[in-house]
Amino acid sequence: MWNNYYILWNYAAVSIADIRYMELGPCEELTYKFPASTFVFTIQGKAYVTINDQKHEVSRFYVLHGGKGSVLHIEAEQSGLNLFYLMYRASLPSGGRTDLGNMMEHMNPFQLTYGFGPKSPVVLYEQVKQIHALWNQKHPIHHFQAKSLFFPFVQQVSAQIPHAATRYSMTNQVSEVIEIVESSYAEPLTLRVLAEKVGSSPRSLSRKFKQATGYSPIDYLIQFRLFKAKEMLLHTDATLDEIAAGIGYPDGYYLGRMFKKHTGVSPLKFKEKTSEPLKWPDLTSTLARNDISRGRAGRYVYNDDDNHYQYKHGGSLYMNRQATGMLLSILLSLTLLLSACSTGAVSNSGGETAGSKGTSSATSTVTADSQSSTSEPRIISTVKGDITVPAEPKRIVVDLYLGSLIALGIKPVGTPEMNLKNPYFIKSLEGVENIGEYETISLEKVLELQPDLIVTGDPDLFDSFSKIAPTLVVPYGELKNTHEEIAYFGKALNKEKEAESWLADYDGRIADAKKRVSEAIDADAEVSVMQFYDKAPLAFGDNFGRGGQAVYSALGLNPPADKTEILMKDQLVEVSSESIPEFAGDYIILTADNLTVEELKSKPVWSSLDAVKNDRVFIWSPDRSWYFDPIATLDQTEELAAWFTKTADQK
């Protein structure tokens, strides 16, 4: 029977008659006779619907079909009903195959009457929305495009008709969630959203999904997004920011953290080391299996302990790192050979050699006058074993912790590009060389700079870096706060007096900022740190940028009381639109590009917040809020203290 259905659709000449959108008010009724074969797709509300005496109880997403002349009767409930009509005409070619006519006598697919809740409503909604938008443009090319999209819609609907009777069994609900995730993974999907799409409660859906697959729906979503990220890493030169935008994450920084959390390696290391083709298992056909992906990482959690300074990505790798060891050995050998051939060459404080031109004009600001009294090499214990740090390193390359080095009066010879854009100490970086992005550091450039010490927060880079110079590895997150960080590097780099002096100034300025804020706002006031992101706004705890350290650690302010536990545990939470009020405090510190408080007042949900209504929103751009090194944290704290004071004065 159904084979004939598809054959007839395949041979039919189809044209669109009309595409309409309609909204029925509370308890409104409608009777309508179809002038052509018609699909009805409801998207919101509830109603009792009858087509040719077939009765349907419609809720939210529902597909109905009737042939030309069919009578539709709708009785909307209190919530009303929003729906689309897709009217079309279909006919078989004349003088053609006689068997097609016989099939039509037994079942005419264009006159069938049926209705059901679709398996993939979001997919259908996106298709219908595009078809409707194109049709309304009233131009032949747009009508042609609308027709081309009509067939995928019919295919989606037709594939589900034979199974409509068993639509809402447990297994089919789980299958539907899987299909939604795999078709809409770039959308802001939460457990609540998924449950609503399949007509279930979040708790019930989570239980069913885990019983059938061994994993929660959100676990599956995370793993599928990361699978797509892996595909892009292996098969394209897309940057992390571009990949993040394509899979539903706010930026490359967030993607990089999640990727390493769940795979155990950074995106770059994955790209270097993976040669086997990727394969994503079809869970819809084997729901009982528990291995969503072979060798998959552990259960997903939002918190991540290996924080590092914010980075963006662009360009490509400067070196094929699969050959890093061999190339570095060759380059080092050549360097040593050339140095040996330079008769009488000795290093000076600028890094140049007598009788030869230096590779860089940048020089370290570490001088004998600024050194502490101990001028001997120091042995520092690290995760990679004991490292001997030169007594007075003058040519330091640093990928992370740049802020701490600047605080101690040390200017490196090289650092990643994002560090060079740090507005909080950019004036101190004149002459410092760009060694690439954090995830795409140029080892050739590092070697060219002839460092006598490398400081890194990435243990994965130790093997490469240590071939060039002594390498101090401190995984980010190992040092818990500003005091630990500054004190550690003060000791490691023979700058203990400078560390003590900087921290004394830091403590005094932080104390003053806290005093000003305590006088400006109530002690019980709640402050939210958020980022405006149209797909899924983000709320932050205190171990991230966006002002988290300044607000919660330095100023000691309160996050929203009923969200404290989740924010302090998870540190970063994607917030659905309807949940924004739950995460919004009396004051909001908001990261956003090209957005004003007045514009925020015009946006749904945001405009209802007391903080927005009363101008208690501080908005800054990502290039200022993303950094969270000690210098940035101090400056952000004072900037926010000034804003809190000004806001209080304007009351």
Side-chain angles (χ1 to χ4, degrees):
M1 171 182 177
W2 293 108
N3 283 339
N4 293 349
Y5 176 95
Y6 300 126
I7 290 172
L8 291 169
W9 262 105
N10 186 44
Y11 279 93
V14 178
S15 62
I16 296 178
D18 199 5
I19 310 291
R20 302 178 189 175
Y21 173 73
M22 179 177 292
E23 296 182 359
L24 299 182
C27 304
E28 186 175 348
E29 294 189 28
L30 171 71
T31 300
Y32 182 67
K33 186 176 182 179
F34 291 156
S37 298
T38 302
F39 286 101
V40 177
F41 182 47
T42 69
I43 61 171
Q44 193 172 30
K46 294 182 178 181
Y48 292 99
V49 178
T50 303
I51 300 183
N52 296 342
D53 298 325
Q54 282 191 15
K55 297 182 179 180
H56 302 268
E57 189 173 346
V58 171
S59 176
R60 302 188 313 110
F61 295 107
Y62 207 85
V63 174
L64 300 128
H65 183 272
K68 179 179 179 180
S70 297
V71 177
L72 171 76
H73 182 72
I74 300 176
E75 298 176 26
E77 294 191 18
Q78 191 63 38
S79 58
L81 187 71
N82 299 347
L83 65 150
F84 287 93
Y85 288 110
L86 292 86
M87 303 178 187
Y88 69 95
R89 296 185 177 90
S91 60
L92 295 177
S94 59
R97 294 170 46 177
T98 57
D99 60 327
L100 297 180
N102 295 331
M103 290 181 191
M104 285 282 283
E105 291 180 5
H106 288 89
M107 182 187 71
N108 184 340
F110 317 116
Q111 288 296 124
L112 282 180
T113 301
Y114 53 83
F116 60 90
K119 289 171 59 181
S120 303
V122 174
V123 175
L124 291 177
Y125 172 69
E126 290 297 329
Q127 290 174 334
V128 172
K129 186 173 66 173
Q130 291 182 55
I131 295 170
H132 180 253
L134 289 166
W135 187 259
N136 277 348
Q137 294 188 53
K138 309 295 185 184
H139 191 281
I141 190 172
H142 295 132
H143 281 195
F144 173 73
Q145 291 170 335
K147 181 178 178 180
S148 69
L149 292 177
F150 177 71
F151 289 102
F153 169 81
V154 173
Q155 186 275 328
Q156 284 280 341
V157 171
S158 301
Q160 299 179 45
I161 298 172
H163 309 290
T166 57
R167 173 67 191 86
Y168 284 103
S169 69
M170 183 188 82
T171 299
N172 281 339
Q173 274 194 332
V174 173
S175 296
E176 180 178 359
V177 169
I178 290 171
E179 291 188 15
I180 292 172
V181 166
E182 294 185 4
S183 63
S184 308
Y185 55 87
E187 300 301 318
L189 299 176
T190 63
L191 180 59
R192 181 184 300 176
V193 169
L194 290 171
E196 289 177 352
K197 290 181 183 298
V198 299
S200 179
S201 69
R203 184 175 181 181
S204 176
L205 175 62
S206 184
R207 177 179 55 80
K208 292 175 183 178
F209 198 96
K210 192 163 187 177
Q211 180 179 342
T213 69
Y215 295 88
S216 75
I218 298 305
D219 283 333
Y220 187 79
L221 171 63
I222 295 302
Q223 292 301 324
F224 191 77
R225 282 174 168 170
L226 292 181
F227 173 78
K228 288 297 180 181
K230 292 174 183 177
E231 284 188 328
M232 294 292 288
L233 285 167
L234 294 181
H235 303 306
T236 75
D237 289 330
T239 66
L240 284 193
D241 278 332
E242 291 167 341
I243 295 173
I247 65 172
Y249 283 153
D251 51 48
Y253 170 62
Y254 180 65
L255 169 60
R257 294 170 59 83
M258 294 302 104
F259 195 99
K260 189 168 185 179
K261 185 71 176 179
H262 295 291
T263 67
V265 297
S266 67
L268 177 60
K269 284 294 181 182
F270 174 83
K271 186 180 181 79
E272 290 175 2
K273 295 180 178 180
T274 302
S275 57
E276 296 294 324
L278 297 176
K279 183 178 181 181
W280 183 256
D282 180 11
L283 241 64
T284 58
S285 62
T286 52
L287 287 174
R289 66 183 294 174
N290 290 334
D291 54 332
I292 287 184
S293 63
R294 190 171 301 171
R296 62 172 283 157
R299 182 175 178 82
Y300 173 82
V301 291
Y302 281 108
N303 56 300
D304 198 344
D305 295 328
D306 56 346
N307 301 319
H308 52 69
Y309 303 148
Q310 170 66 21
Y311 55 86
K312 291 184 178 180
H313 300 277
S316 58
L317 281 173
Y318 299 156
M319 177 184 288
N320 180 350
R321 296 199 181 180
Q322 292 178 338
T324 293
M326 180 180 69
L327 287 173
L328 277 176
S329 297
I330 294 172
L331 289 169
L332 283 169
S333 298
L334 287 172
T335 300
L336 292 172
L337 178 61
L338 291 171
S339 297
C341 293
S342 300
T343 306
V346 293
S347 296
N348 62 24
S349 61
E352 297 182 3
T353 56
S356 66
K357 187 176 182 180
T359 58
S360 170
S361 61
T363 60
S364 171
T365 58
V366 180
T367 65
D369 292 339
S370 66
Q371 294 297 312
S372 300
S373 58
T374 303
S375 296
E376 297 179 357
R378 288 164 301 287
I379 297 177
I380 306 297
S381 296
T382 75
V383 294
K384 293 295 185 179
D386 291 344
I387 304 297
T388 300
V389 175
E392 298 180 7
K394 293 180 172 58
R395 298 188 62 80
I396 300 176
V397 166
V398 55
D399 57 7
L400 300 179
Y401 302 108
L402 176 61
S404 290
L405 269 62
I406 297 297
L408 297 174
I410 300 172
K411 182 165 73 174
V413 294
T415 197
E417 181 177 355
M418 191 63 184
N419 287 347
L420 294 172
K421 298 176 181 178
N422 190 317
Y424 297 101
F425 47 72
I426 192 169
K427 293 181 180 179
S428 302
L429 300 177
E430 183 178 355
V432 178
E433 297 282 344
N434 178 3
I435 63 171
E437 293 290 2
Y438 176 73
E439 285 285 342
T440 56
I441 288 174
S442 167
L443 297 176
E444 293 102 321
K445 184 63 179 179
V446 175
L447 182 63
E448 176 188 317
L449 292 174
Q450 300 181 22
D452 50 14
L453 179 68
I454 298 174
V455 178
T456 180
D458 188 352
D460 291 341
L461 294 177
F462 175 80
D463 289 342
S464 298
F465 281 158
S466 61
K467 291 182 174 69
I468 301 174
T471 301
L472 183 61
V473 182
V474 188
Y476 203 85
E478 186 172 290
L479 304 174
K480 302 302 181 184
N481 52 51
T482 295
H483 271 263
E484 284 191 16
E485 187 171 321
I486 294 293
Y488 176 88
F489 285 107
K491 181 178 180 180
L493 301 176
N494 201 19
K495 296 290 233 174
E496 291 173 283
K497 290 183 179 179
E498 289 83 351
E500 291 176 5
S501 176
W502 193 90
L503 286 173
D505 179 67
Y506 173 86
D507 289 341
R509 291 166 63 180
I510 292 295
D512 178 67
K514 290 181 71 172
K515 182 176 183 296
R516 284 185 285 146
V517 172
S518 67
E519 294 172 350
I521 68 175
D522 295 335
D524 296 330
E526 297 177 353
V527 182
S528 301
V529 176
M530 305 183 77
Q531 178 171 334
F532 183 82
Y533 178 53
D534 56 2
K535 288 186 177 180
L538 307 173
F540 294 88
D542 64 349
N543 279 348
F544 284 79
R546 285 74 167 184
Q549 291 85 346
V551 171
Y552 299 131
S553 296
L555 293 174
L557 299 176
N558 309 309
D562 60 343
K563 297 300 179 184
T564 300
E565 183 176 353
I566 187 172
L567 284 173
M568 294 302 105
K569 180 188 72 172
D570 293 343
Q571 300 178 356
L572 168 60
V573 180
E574 293 186 23
V575 181
S576 61
S577 295
E578 64 270 20
S579 299
I580 290 175
E582 300 173 20
F583 288 85
D586 302 302
Y587 297 83
I588 297 176
I589 311 302
L590 185 66
T591 292
D593 267 322
N594 303 315
L595 183 70
T596 66
V597 176
E598 290 305 315
E599 290 171 331
L600 203 60
K601 290 179 180 180
S602 67
K603 296 185 178 296
V605 182
W606 291 92
S607 61
S608 67
L609 305 178
D610 287 340
V612 176
K613 292 178 182 178
N614 296 301
D615 297 318
R616 295 197 298 266
V617 179
F618 178 86
I619 299 179
W620 49 11
S621 58
D623 61 346
R624 292 192 64 79
S625 72
W626 275 349
Y627 295 92
F628 50 96
D629 57 88
I631 294 177
T633 297
L634 176 57
D635 285 3
Q636 289 167 355
T637 301
E638 293 184 321
E639 186 176 1
L640 290 173
W643 175 76
F644 278 116
T645 302
K646 180 181 178 181
T647 302
D649 292 341
Q650 293 175 344
K651 287 183 179 179

